[in-house]
Amino acid sequence: MTEEVAATEPGPAGSALSRREQILQAAAELFARYGFHGVGIDDIGGAVGVSGPALYRHFRSKEAMLAEMLTEISDKLLLGGHSRVDAAAGPDAALEELVRWHVEFALTNPALITVHLRDLDSLSEPDQHRVRESQRAYVEVWVRVLRAVRADLDEHTARAAAHAVIGLINSTPYSTHLDTTAMSALLHRMALGALSAGSGT
Amino acid sequence: MTEEVAATEPGPAGSALSRREQILQAAAELFARYGFHGVGIDDIGGAVGVSGPALYRHFRSKEAMLAEMLTEISDKLLLGGHSRVDAAAGPDAALEELVRWHVEFALTNPALITVHLRDLDSLSEPDQHRVRESQRAYVEVWVRVLRAVRADLDEHTARAAAHAVIGLINSTPYSTHLDTTAMSALLHRMALGALSAGSGT
DNA sequence: GGGCGATGTTAACGCTGGCTAACCCACTTC
DNA sequence: GAAGTGGGTTAGCCAGCGTTAACATCGCCC
């Protein structure tokens, strides 16, 4: 190993945290490309320059890795969305911020988005439940903002519209024909366009 | 088994075809819910009231089932899109028809859409290639129509926009809060809204 | 300077699961 | 009514893979 732990985090647990993150990142990339069941323990180990069962020094199981990355992503999404909405001036600004936040998130973490869409149900029941709970709450943030902007939207329609827009933005990982800023701007415009059309006749 | 083969198709191969389709349908449902690798041969057999390896009378392998359903769906999508565009009066009508077609398809075959998004890369290289080819051609249909409607769209932006709209419509399977007609109308409006905003400033 | 905890290594175990083998009907057909 | 064929059954093989065990090493700390 030529490259040692450079200077990640102070404290005794610094290098340990770095290792975990490193593993999670590599695993996310692999899961995104081949699916949870399509990736072996040895593959993940190999991706971080360590072979096989060494991972069990850091995670209880392969599924624990998936669980950690999925709970992390959904909590982060929820938290970020919430705080942006709270900080916004009015409903319109809140919606704008929500779109901006989700676009940025999806473009920054395409692998996590993919894994989240794909392998959620490879989780154990309790973990799965927790993730879905965050997810539900996140959609609810969207629903509240949407209904604040357009009072004529009923609950169900707002929820379906939220899902659709999130789906639009999440379709990002598969199309990388544009550079990030152009893509970001395009998705932003399209999302808002879809939403303003969503409640029209 | 109380229910026999009622009256599917005349001819000697009638019941055989019906059996294959029946298996494919059940497999699609299972794959959609649990993922290709999350479903066992016995599960699929069980779903059609037959246990385990009986399926090998109808398919060469488990992967062959996936291959058949995915090539079928992508060919069907491409063919349908193509013919609708050809039959349309002008570019605007063509776009409208394309949206209508995809919405209808996605709402009619949610399981296939899900499997297609999820388990495409569980296919062997050649099969995977064939499916991706149809897929690419289908997107190209969208791109051509989009650029005919809005000449200011460059190739890459049009492709990204097409992916985004398809992603929007495909997000359907996960949100079933609305009845089909309302959902169809909503998706239709949102898709067109997203597209008209896609080329704006 | 001798433990000891954190981190890796290789070998091996055990289960799951796809697939094959061998055998068994029913039903059509000459 | 014997033969063939289509479709099903159960038993079992075999590979892959997640996980554990047993053992090494390195750096810190009293």
mmCIF file of all heavy atoms in Angstrom, chain D residues 17-28:
data_model
loop_
_atom_site.group_PDB
_atom_site.id
_atom_site.type_symbol
_atom_site.label_atom_id
_atom_site.label_comp_id
_atom_site.label_asym_id
_atom_site.label_seq_id
_atom_site.Cartn_x
_atom_site.Cartn_y
_atom_site.Cartn_z
ATOM 1 P P DC D 17 -20.536 -15.151 -6.935
ATOM 2 O OP1 DC D 17 -21.185 -14.180 -7.825
ATOM 3 O OP2 DC D 17 -19.063 -15.296 -6.916
ATOM 4 O "O5'" DC D 17 -21.045 -14.875 -5.450
ATOM 5 C "C5'" DC D 17 -22.302 -15.405 -5.044
ATOM 6 C "C4'" DC D 17 -22.383 -15.398 -3.533
ATOM 7 O "O4'" DC D 17 -22.008 -16.698 -3.012
ATOM 8 C "C3'" DC D 17 -21.411 -14.402 -2.887
ATOM 9 O "O3'" DC D 17 -22.091 -13.782 -1.833
ATOM 10 C "C2'" DC D 17 -20.294 -15.300 -2.381
ATOM 11 C "C1'" DC D 17 -21.111 -16.504 -1.941
ATOM 12 N N1 DC D 17 -20.317 -17.743 -1.773
ATOM 13 C C2 DC D 17 -20.691 -18.659 -0.774
ATOM 14 O O2 DC D 17 -21.674 -18.415 -0.072
ATOM 15 N N3 DC D 17 -19.956 -19.778 -0.610
ATOM 16 C C4 DC D 17 -18.895 -19.997 -1.386
ATOM 17 N N4 DC D 17 -18.211 -21.111 -1.191
ATOM 18 C C5 DC D 17 -18.504 -19.067 -2.402
ATOM 19 C C6 DC D 17 -19.236 -17.964 -2.564
ATOM 20 P P DG D 18 -21.870 -12.221 -1.480
ATOM 21 O OP1 DG D 18 -22.850 -11.431 -2.226
ATOM 22 O OP2 DG D 18 -20.432 -11.947 -1.612
ATOM 23 O "O5'" DG D 18 -22.272 -12.205 0.059
ATOM 24 C "C5'" DG D 18 -23.551 -12.688 0.412
ATOM 25 C "C4'" DG D 18 -23.531 -13.320 1.782
ATOM 26 O "O4'" DG D 18 -22.797 -14.567 1.728
ATOM 27 C "C3'" DG D 18 -22.870 -12.485 2.873
ATOM 28 O "O3'" DG D 18 -23.665 -12.546 4.044
ATOM 29 C "C2'" DG D 18 -21.506 -13.142 3.055
ATOM 30 C "C1'" DG D 18 -21.801 -14.594 2.717
ATOM 31 N N9 DG D 18 -20.665 -15.327 2.165
ATOM 32 C C8 DG D 18 -19.848 -14.921 1.139
ATOM 33 N N7 DG D 18 -18.905 -15.775 0.856
ATOM 34 C C5 DG D 18 -19.110 -16.813 1.747
ATOM 35 C C6 DG D 18 -18.391 -18.033 1.916
ATOM 36 O O6 DG D 18 -17.415 -18.440 1.280
ATOM 37 N N1 DG D 18 -18.930 -18.820 2.937
ATOM 38 C C2 DG D 18 -20.017 -18.467 3.693
ATOM 39 N N2 DG D 18 -20.392 -19.345 4.615
ATOM 40 N N3 DG D 18 -20.703 -17.338 3.549
ATOM 41 C C4 DG D 18 -20.190 -16.559 2.562
ATOM 42 P P DT D 19 -23.459 -11.559 5.238
ATOM 43 O OP1 DT D 19 -24.741 -11.343 5.940
ATOM 44 O OP2 DT D 19 -22.676 -10.397 4.783
ATOM 45 O "O5'" DT D 19 -22.555 -12.486 6.167
ATOM 46 C "C5'" DT D 19 -23.056 -13.788 6.500
ATOM 47 C "C4'" DT D 19 -21.981 -14.628 7.156
ATOM 48 O "O4'" DT D 19 -21.034 -15.121 6.182
ATOM 49 C "C3'" DT D 19 -21.145 -13.902 8.214
ATOM 50 O "O3'" DT D 19 -21.518 -14.420 9.500
ATOM 51 C "C2'" DT D 19 -19.690 -14.242 7.845
ATOM 52 C "C1'" DT D 19 -19.847 -15.407 6.881
ATOM 53 N N1 DT D 19 -18.759 -15.571 5.881
ATOM 54 C C2 DT D 19 -18.021 -16.744 5.867
ATOM 55 O O2 DT D 19 -18.211 -17.660 6.646
ATOM 56 N N3 DT D 19 -17.046 -16.804 4.906
ATOM 57 C C4 DT D 19 -16.736 -15.824 3.974
ATOM 58 O O4 DT D 19 -15.840 -15.996 3.154
ATOM 59 C C5 DT D 19 -17.535 -14.622 4.052
ATOM 60 C C7 DT D 19 -17.277 -13.501 3.097
ATOM 61 C C6 DT D 19 -18.496 -14.559 4.983
ATOM 62 P P DT D 20 -20.774 -13.925 10.814
ATOM 63 O OP1 DT D 20 -21.752 -14.016 11.903
ATOM 64 O OP2 DT D 20 -20.066 -12.659 10.528
ATOM 65 O "O5'" DT D 20 -19.686 -15.075 11.008
ATOM 66 C "C5'" DT D 20 -20.097 -16.418 10.936
ATOM 67 C "C4'" DT D 20 -18.930 -17.341 11.295
ATOM 68 O "O4'" DT D 20 -18.039 -17.445 10.151
ATOM 69 C "C3'" DT D 20 -18.067 -16.897 12.470
ATOM 70 O "O3'" DT D 20 -17.809 -18.047 13.274
ATOM 71 C "C2'" DT D 20 -16.800 -16.351 11.803
ATOM 72 C "C1'" DT D 20 -16.710 -17.230 10.574
ATOM 73 N N1 DT D 20 -15.993 -16.643 9.425
ATOM 74 C C2 DT D 20 -14.980 -17.357 8.831
ATOM 75 O O2 DT D 20 -14.631 -18.461 9.197
ATOM 76 N N3 DT D 20 -14.387 -16.720 7.761
ATOM 77 C C4 DT D 20 -14.707 -15.484 7.253
ATOM 78 O O4 DT D 20 -14.112 -15.013 6.294
ATOM 79 C C5 DT D 20 -15.772 -14.796 7.932
ATOM 80 C C7 DT D 20 -16.195 -13.438 7.456
ATOM 81 C C6 DT D 20 -16.363 -15.396 8.969
ATOM 82 P P DA D 21 -16.958 -17.949 14.650
ATOM 83 O OP1 DA D 21 -17.622 -18.880 15.579
ATOM 84 O OP2 DA D 21 -16.765 -16.542 15.020
ATOM 85 O "O5'" DA D 21 -15.538 -18.559 14.233
ATOM 86 C "C5'" DA D 21 -15.484 -19.514 13.173
ATOM 87 C "C4'" DA D 21 -14.158 -20.233 13.183
ATOM 88 O "O4'" DA D 21 -13.390 -19.797 12.024
ATOM 89 C "C3'" DA D 21 -13.253 -19.981 14.378
ATOM 90 O "O3'" DA D 21 -12.466 -21.149 14.592
ATOM 91 C "C2'" DA D 21 -12.416 -18.784 13.935
ATOM 92 C "C1'" DA D 21 -12.265 -19.033 12.437
ATOM 93 N N9 DA D 21 -12.275 -17.811 11.637
ATOM 94 C C8 DA D 21 -13.072 -16.713 11.807
ATOM 95 N N7 DA D 21 -12.872 -15.765 10.925
ATOM 96 C C5 DA D 21 -11.877 -16.277 10.108
ATOM 97 C C6 DA D 21 -11.222 -15.748 8.974
ATOM 98 N N6 DA D 21 -11.497 -14.553 8.466
ATOM 99 N N1 DA D 21 -10.266 -16.520 8.397
ATOM 100 C C2 DA D 21 -10.001 -17.732 8.920
ATOM 101 N N3 DA D 21 -10.567 -18.340 9.985
ATOM 102 C C4 DA D 21 -11.501 -17.544 10.535
ATOM 103 P P DA D 22 -11.445 -21.216 15.880
ATOM 104 O OP1 DA D 22 -11.512 -22.611 16.338
ATOM 105 O OP2 DA D 22 -11.746 -20.105 16.804
ATOM 106 O "O5'" DA D 22 -10.012 -20.963 15.221
ATOM 107 C "C5'" DA D 22 -9.732 -21.535 13.951
ATOM 108 C "C4'" DA D 22 -8.338 -21.142 13.513
ATOM 109 O "O4'" DA D 22 -8.431 -19.943 12.697
ATOM 110 C "C3'" DA D 22 -7.379 -20.800 14.660
ATOM 111 O "O3'" DA D 22 -6.101 -21.327 14.342
ATOM 112 C "C2'" DA D 22 -7.408 -19.283 14.719
ATOM 113 C "C1'" DA D 22 -7.600 -18.936 13.242
ATOM 114 N N9 DA D 22 -8.270 -17.664 13.005
ATOM 115 C C8 DA D 22 -9.237 -17.070 13.771
ATOM 116 N N7 DA D 22 -9.654 -15.918 13.310
ATOM 117 C C5 DA D 22 -8.914 -15.749 12.158
ATOM 118 C C6 DA D 22 -8.894 -14.714 11.191
ATOM 119 N N6 DA D 22 -9.664 -13.638 11.255
ATOM 120 N N1 DA D 22 -8.035 -14.844 10.156
ATOM 121 C C2 DA D 22 -7.261 -15.944 10.094
ATOM 122 N N3 DA D 22 -7.200 -16.985 10.934
ATOM 123 C C4 DA D 22 -8.056 -16.806 11.952
ATOM 124 P P DC D 23 -4.826 -21.083 15.398
ATOM 125 O OP1 DC D 23 -4.075 -22.356 15.386
ATOM 126 O OP2 DC D 23 -5.290 -20.491 16.675
ATOM 127 O "O5'" DC D 23 -3.967 -19.998 14.601
ATOM 128 C "C5'" DC D 23 -3.753 -20.196 13.208
ATOM 129 C "C4'" DC D 23 -3.271 -18.916 12.570
ATOM 130 O "O4'" DC D 23 -4.346 -17.941 12.532
ATOM 131 C "C3'" DC D 23 -2.113 -18.217 13.297
ATOM 132 O "O3'" DC D 23 -1.036 -18.024 12.404
ATOM 133 C "C2'" DC D 23 -2.724 -16.895 13.745
ATOM 134 C "C1'" DC D 23 -3.751 -16.677 12.653
ATOM 135 N N1 DC D 23 -4.780 -15.670 12.999
ATOM 136 C C2 DC D 23 -4.931 -14.549 12.183
ATOM 137 O O2 DC D 23 -4.206 -14.423 11.184
ATOM 138 N N3 DC D 23 -5.861 -13.604 12.509
ATOM 139 C C4 DC D 23 -6.619 -13.784 13.595
ATOM 140 N N4 DC D 23 -7.521 -12.847 13.876
ATOM 141 C C5 DC D 23 -6.489 -14.924 14.437
ATOM 142 C C6 DC D 23 -5.569 -15.837 14.113
ATOM 143 P P DA D 24 0.393 -17.410 12.970
ATOM 144 O OP1 DA D 24 1.485 -18.189 12.361
ATOM 145 O OP2 DA D 24 0.311 -17.285 14.441
ATOM 146 O "O5'" DA D 24 0.422 -15.952 12.352
ATOM 147 C "C5'" DA D 24 0.985 -15.754 11.060
ATOM 148 C "C4'" DA D 24 0.799 -14.317 10.648
ATOM 149 O "O4'" DA D 24 -0.478 -13.874 11.123
ATOM 150 C "C3'" DA D 24 1.829 -13.339 11.206
ATOM 151 O "O3'" DA D 24 2.479 -12.714 10.123
ATOM 152 C "C2'" DA D 24 1.016 -12.356 12.047
ATOM 153 C "C1'" DA D 24 -0.385 -12.510 11.478
ATOM 154 N N9 DA D 24 -1.493 -12.236 12.387
ATOM 155 C C8 DA D 24 -1.940 -13.025 13.409
ATOM 156 N N7 DA D 24 -2.985 -12.533 14.050
ATOM 157 C C5 DA D 24 -3.227 -11.332 13.400
ATOM 158 C C6 DA D 24 -4.204 -10.329 13.613
ATOM 159 N N6 DA D 24 -5.139 -10.401 14.559
ATOM 160 N N1 DA D 24 -4.175 -9.255 12.784
ATOM 161 C C2 DA D 24 -3.231 -9.199 11.836
ATOM 162 N N3 DA D 24 -2.282 -10.080 11.536
ATOM 163 C C4 DA D 24 -2.330 -11.130 12.377
ATOM 164 P P DT D 25 3.924 -11.981 10.337
ATOM 165 O OP1 DT D 25 4.632 -12.206 9.065
ATOM 166 O OP2 DT D 25 4.507 -12.420 11.616
ATOM 167 O "O5'" DT D 25 3.571 -10.440 10.453
ATOM 168 C "C5'" DT D 25 2.553 -9.912 9.607
ATOM 169 C "C4'" DT D 25 2.162 -8.514 10.042
ATOM 170 O "O4'" DT D 25 1.023 -8.600 10.950
ATOM 171 C "C3'" DT D 25 3.240 -7.730 10.787
ATOM 172 O "O3'" DT D 25 3.340 -6.471 10.174
ATOM 173 C "C2'" DT D 25 2.687 -7.605 12.202
ATOM 174 C "C1'" DT D 25 1.196 -7.620 11.934
ATOM 175 N N1 DT D 25 0.321 -8.026 13.072
ATOM 176 C C2 DT D 25 -0.739 -7.215 13.415
ATOM 177 O O2 DT D 25 -1.006 -6.176 12.848
ATOM 178 N N3 DT D 25 -1.493 -7.676 14.473
ATOM 179 C C4 DT D 25 -1.291 -8.831 15.206
ATOM 180 O O4 DT D 25 -2.028 -9.138 16.125
ATOM 181 C C5 DT D 25 -0.169 -9.629 14.787
ATOM 182 C C7 DT D 25 0.138 -10.898 15.493
ATOM 183 C C6 DT D 25 0.584 -9.188 13.754
ATOM 184 P P DC D 26 4.745 -5.647 10.176
ATOM 185 O OP1 DC D 26 5.429 -5.892 8.899
ATOM 186 O OP2 DC D 26 5.447 -5.907 11.455
ATOM 187 O "O5'" DC D 26 4.197 -4.143 10.192
ATOM 188 C "C5'" DC D 26 2.819 -3.910 9.908
ATOM 189 C "C4'" DC D 26 2.236 -2.952 10.930
ATOM 190 O "O4'" DC D 26 1.511 -3.673 11.960
ATOM 191 C "C3'" DC D 26 3.268 -2.090 11.672
ATOM 192 O "O3'" DC D 26 2.881 -0.749 11.553
ATOM 193 C "C2'" DC D 26 3.199 -2.596 13.107
ATOM 194 C "C1'" DC D 26 1.754 -3.053 13.198
ATOM 195 N N1 DC D 26 1.481 -4.071 14.259
ATOM 196 C C2 DC D 26 0.330 -3.957 15.057
ATOM 197 O O2 DC D 26 -0.441 -3.006 14.873
ATOM 198 N N3 DC D 26 0.086 -4.893 16.006
ATOM 199 C C4 DC D 26 0.944 -5.897 16.173
ATOM 200 N N4 DC D 26 0.666 -6.807 17.118
ATOM 201 C C5 DC D 26 2.121 -6.037 15.375
ATOM 202 C C6 DC D 26 2.353 -5.108 14.435
ATOM 203 P P DG D 27 3.889 0.448 11.908
ATOM 204 O OP1 DG D 27 3.975 1.344 10.746
ATOM 205 O OP2 DG D 27 5.115 -0.144 12.504
ATOM 206 O "O5'" DG D 27 3.092 1.218 13.065
ATOM 207 C "C5'" DG D 27 1.707 1.488 12.870
ATOM 208 C "C4'" DG D 27 1.069 1.868 14.187
ATOM 209 O "O4'" DG D 27 0.876 0.689 15.011
ATOM 210 C "C3'" DG D 27 1.905 2.826 15.033
ATOM 211 O "O3'" DG D 27 1.034 3.754 15.672
ATOM 212 C "C2'" DG D 27 2.571 1.921 16.065
ATOM 213 C "C1'" DG D 27 1.483 0.871 16.269
ATOM 214 N N9 DG D 27 1.987 -0.427 16.692
ATOM 215 C C8 DG D 27 3.126 -1.073 16.240
ATOM 216 N N7 DG D 27 3.316 -2.229 16.808
ATOM 217 C C5 DG D 27 2.242 -2.364 17.679
ATOM 218 C C6 DG D 27 1.909 -3.419 18.566
ATOM 219 O O6 DG D 27 2.522 -4.474 18.759
ATOM 220 N N1 DG D 27 0.744 -3.146 19.273
ATOM 221 C C2 DG D 27 -0.010 -2.005 19.131
ATOM 222 N N2 DG D 27 -1.093 -1.917 19.886
ATOM 223 N N3 DG D 27 0.280 -1.015 18.309
ATOM 224 C C4 DG D 27 1.416 -1.262 17.620
ATOM 225 P P DC D 28 1.608 5.097 16.317
ATOM 226 O OP1 DC D 28 1.043 6.210 15.541
ATOM 227 O OP2 DC D 28 3.077 4.982 16.515
ATOM 228 O "O5'" DC D 28 0.892 5.072 17.752
ATOM 229 C "C5'" DC D 28 -0.495 4.751 17.821
ATOM 230 C "C4'" DC D 28 -0.834 4.166 19.190
ATOM 231 O "O4'" DC D 28 -0.233 2.855 19.345
ATOM 232 C "C3'" DC D 28 -0.328 5.004 20.379
ATOM 233 O "O3'" DC D 28 -1.409 5.200 21.274
ATOM 234 C "C2'" DC D 28 0.787 4.147 20.995
ATOM 235 C "C1'" DC D 28 0.319 2.741 20.640
ATOM 236 N N1 DC D 28 1.412 1.727 20.553
ATOM 237 C C2 DC D 28 1.341 0.554 21.322
ATOM 238 O O2 DC D 28 0.372 0.382 22.067
ATOM 239 N N3 DC D 28 2.336 -0.366 21.238
ATOM 240 C C4 DC D 28 3.373 -0.144 20.414
ATOM 241 N N4 DC D 28 4.327 -1.085 20.348
ATOM 242 C C5 DC D 28 3.472 1.046 19.612
ATOM 243 C C6 DC D 28 2.482 1.947 19.716
#
